[in-house]
């Protein structure tokens, strides 16, 4: 749902939503031409599948794994992932926005209700006093709890709880931000701490057979760091976000430590629980680039919506002036940002003042669209 929403906001290719796509037959492991639905129906069905496939406390069942597929021992009939439940909230929020834009109000209400219900379940059953647990395994044991001797706190579930608004709904944002500091290193934030050391542990799965500080077992995973950066920019912490962003880029890392070239980003940096702390073992091997792009886009403050450009700068405090140039749906858009002493954000184009966004219909597809923004 998030990928579809992002694509439509960038391209405006809404005809794609009506394209027929066959459903996947789980028994034959092949697309079934006899059944199917539109792209929109597939996206809606995927979110409904998450909402309905639940275990302990009505949270999303983890099945064979979530983002951290190395936590392979959590599944079973009742094992749930709190991170996946947060992702369900995020997907339902994006699907609700799309449904509202299309005028499908029943779907929008369903998705909003799904997000609200899952948010309540997470806040009621996954809060551990200072942060959110990662999961509950099939035996009902919390994973990522303050009572866990290893894997006590996990990064991804807590960053997603922040930028989805789950933590805000319970007034817990400050506590989560404080808790995440224990995951910080000079190279970024580790996925979890302490790393798992007791091998062949059935309660968490194969992650315990990975060396501490490697891969998902306590490394600084680039994907996880991008989620942290997005949580920062979504909260309006422009200075912290920019500082952490620059520090995580390969050009800023000490070359005698990471061993990789300055233009390549590995999928993870070896964590502090390993003798090779700071090194990167792979090159150009990460799925985090779209999230980094999303972070930069929100920091600069020119973000596509379904039928408008949203203007909302969140740069570092020492940025007094900058310009964004963007080709969007065949429109040449140039936005000049100037920091001034007055409150709020003033957006003007062609002598007209706008509040928060500029409709697509107001942007010329023949001439350069010069937009001026003054912000505090």
């Amino acid at each position: 749902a998030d990928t579809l929403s992002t694509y439509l906001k960038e391209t405006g290719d809404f005809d794609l939503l009506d394209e027929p796509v066959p459903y996947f037959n789980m028994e034959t492991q092949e697309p079934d031409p006899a059944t199917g639905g539109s792209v929109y129906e597939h996206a809606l069905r995927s979110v409904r599948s998450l909402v309905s496939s639940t275990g302990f406390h009505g949270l999303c069942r983890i099945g064979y794994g979530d983002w951290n597929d190395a936590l392979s021992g959590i599944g079973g009939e009742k094992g749930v992932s709190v991170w996946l439940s947060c992702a369900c909230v995020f997907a339902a929020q994006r699907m609700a926005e799309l449904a509202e834009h299309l005028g499908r109000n029943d779907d929008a209400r369903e998705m909003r209700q799904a997000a609200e219900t899952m948010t309540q379940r997470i806040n009621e059953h996954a809060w551990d006093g200072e942060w959110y647990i990662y999961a509950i395994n099939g035996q009902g044991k919390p994973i990522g709890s303050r009572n866990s001797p290893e894997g006590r706190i996990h990064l991804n579930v807590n960053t997603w709880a922040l930028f989805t608004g789950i933590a805000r709904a319970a007034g817990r944002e400050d506590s989560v931000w404080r808790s995440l500091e224990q995951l910080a290193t000079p190279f970024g934030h580790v996925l979890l701490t302490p790393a798992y050391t007791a091998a062949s542990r059935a309660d968490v799965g194969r992650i315990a057979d990975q060396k501490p500080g490697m891969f998902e077992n306590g490394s600084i995973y680039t994907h996880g760091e991008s989620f942290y950066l997005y949580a920062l920019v979504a909260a309006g912490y422009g200075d912290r976000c920019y500082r952490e962003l620059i520090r995580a880029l390969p050009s800023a890392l000490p070359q005698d430590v990471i061993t990789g070239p300055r233009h390549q980003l590995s999928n993870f940096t070896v964590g502090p629980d390993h003798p090779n702390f700071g090194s990167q073992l792979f090159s150009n091997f990460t799925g985090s680039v779209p999230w980094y792009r999303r972070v930069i886009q929100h920091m600069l403050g020119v973000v596509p919506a379904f039928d408008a450009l949203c203007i909302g700068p969140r740069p570092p405090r020492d940025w007094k002036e900058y310009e964004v140039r963007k080709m969007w749906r065949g429109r040449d858009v140039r936005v000049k940002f100037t920091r001034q002493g007055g409150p709020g954000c003033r957006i003007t184009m062609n002598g007209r003042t706008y509040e928060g966004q500029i409709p697509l219909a107001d942007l010329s597809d023949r001439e350069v669209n010069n937009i001026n923004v003054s912000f505090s």
Side-chain angles (χ1 to χ4, degrees):
D2 179 44
T3 301
L4 178 61
S5 174
T6 301
Y7 173 81
L8 293 173
K9 289 173 181 177
E10 286 285 357
T11 67
D13 183 18
F14 288 96
D15 290 341
L16 171 71
L17 293 173
D18 296 322
E19 288 291 321
V21 182
Y23 286 136
F24 191 78
N25 189 311
M26 297 300 293
E27 293 183 2
T28 64
Q29 296 293 300
E30 296 287 344
D32 184 356
T35 62
S38 67
V39 170
Y40 175 85
E41 290 167 338
H42 271 265
L44 188 63
R45 183 176 179 179
S46 69
V47 181
R48 285 172 173 164
S49 176
L50 271 179
V51 171
S52 62
S53 181
T54 59
F56 288 116
H57 309 301
L59 300 173
C60 295
R61 287 197 301 171
I62 193 171
Y64 293 103
D66 59 9
W67 181 94
N68 193 341
D69 52 7
L71 286 166
S72 58
I74 296 175
E77 288 298 315
K78 296 183 178 181
V80 297
S81 163
V82 182
W83 174 82
L84 187 59
S85 301
C86 292
C88 177
V89 171
F90 190 62
Q93 290 169 341
R94 302 290 77 74
M95 202 66 205
E97 292 174 349
L98 176 57
E100 286 172 352
H101 178 73
L102 298 173
R104 304 187 184 190
N105 296 326
D106 289 344
D107 293 343
R109 280 191 293 270
E110 177 190 353
M111 292 293 102
R112 293 290 184 198
Q113 184 60 54
E116 182 179 338
T117 299
M118 194 61 70
T119 293
Q120 292 171 347
R121 292 172 182 172
I122 293 168
N123 277 320
E124 183 176 353
H125 300 290
W127 182 245
D128 200 47
E130 297 179 74
W131 60 79
Y132 291 90
I133 62 173
Y134 192 88
I136 302 172
N137 71 10
Q139 291 71 50
K141 178 181 178 180
I143 304 299
S145 164
R146 57 185 169 176
N147 296 320
S148 303
E150 297 179 338
R152 185 176 61 249
I153 177 173
H154 291 242
L155 176 66
N156 289 354
V157 64
N158 286 287
T159 54
W160 280 66
L162 286 167
F163 66 70
T164 55
I166 293 168
R168 182 172 62 252
R172 293 168 175 164
E173 291 172 292
D174 289 344
S175 180
V176 175
W177 283 119
R178 286 194 300 269
S179 297
L180 289 177
E181 289 305 306
Q182 60 190 286
L183 298 169
T185 81
F187 301 108
H189 294 74
V190 293
L191 281 178
L192 58 88
T193 194
Y196 293 100
T197 60
S200 302
R201 290 179 51 180
D203 58 339
V204 291
R206 67 179 178 85
I207 193 171
D209 296 312
Q210 297 173 339
K211 290 184 179 297
M214 296 289 284
F215 295 92
E216 292 91 345
N217 190 16
S219 78
I220 301 143
Y221 223 94
T222 310
H223 218 168
E225 186 70 3
S226 72
F227 299 152
Y228 178 79
L229 292 171
Y230 185 65
L232 284 173
V233 76
Y237 296 142
D239 287 293
R240 288 174 60 186
C241 183
Y242 183 71
R243 183 172 63 249
E244 297 289 345
L245 171 65
I246 295 300
R247 183 166 64 176
L249 294 178
S251 57
L253 299 177
Q255 299 302 298
D256 58 340
V257 175
I258 67 167
T259 71
R262 290 185 179 273
H263 67 283
Q264 292 185 350
L265 192 63
S266 178
N267 62 324
F268 73 90
T269 300
V270 177
D273 293 318
H274 192 279
N276 293 332
F277 173 40
S279 64
Q280 295 190 345
L281 308 181
F282 303 98
S283 61
N284 289 344
F285 180 51
T286 176
S288 63
V289 173
W291 281 89
Y292 272 79
R293 183 177 183 273
R294 179 180 298 204
V295 168
I296 294 169
Q297 194 175 61
H298 281 266
M299 183 187 299
L300 296 178
V302 182
V303 182
F306 292 120
D307 56 4
L309 270 183
C310 296
I311 308 296
R314 301 174 184 178
R317 292 295 304 176
D318 60 357
W319 284 24
K320 305 304 181 185
E321 186 175 284
Y322 65 96
E323 183 175 343
V324 174
R325 296 185 178 183
K326 183 178 181 64
M327 289 298 299
W328 182 58
R329 303 192 194 176
R331 276 80 171 168
D332 187 348
V333 178
R334 303 185 185 186
V335 190
K336 184 176 181 179
F337 292 88
T338 305
R339 190 185 294 276
Q340 297 182 350
C345 181
R346 186 170 186 270
I347 306 164
T348 60
M349 184 181 72
N350 298 329
R352 182 176 174 183
T353 301
Y354 292 86
E355 294 289 337
Q357 60 183 23
I358 299 178
L360 173 65
D362 288 2
L363 295 171
S364 173
D365 58 1
R366 297 182 300 277
E367 300 175 350
V368 174
N369 296 275
N370 291 302
I371 303 166
N372 291 287
V373 181
S374 60
F375 65 102
S376 58

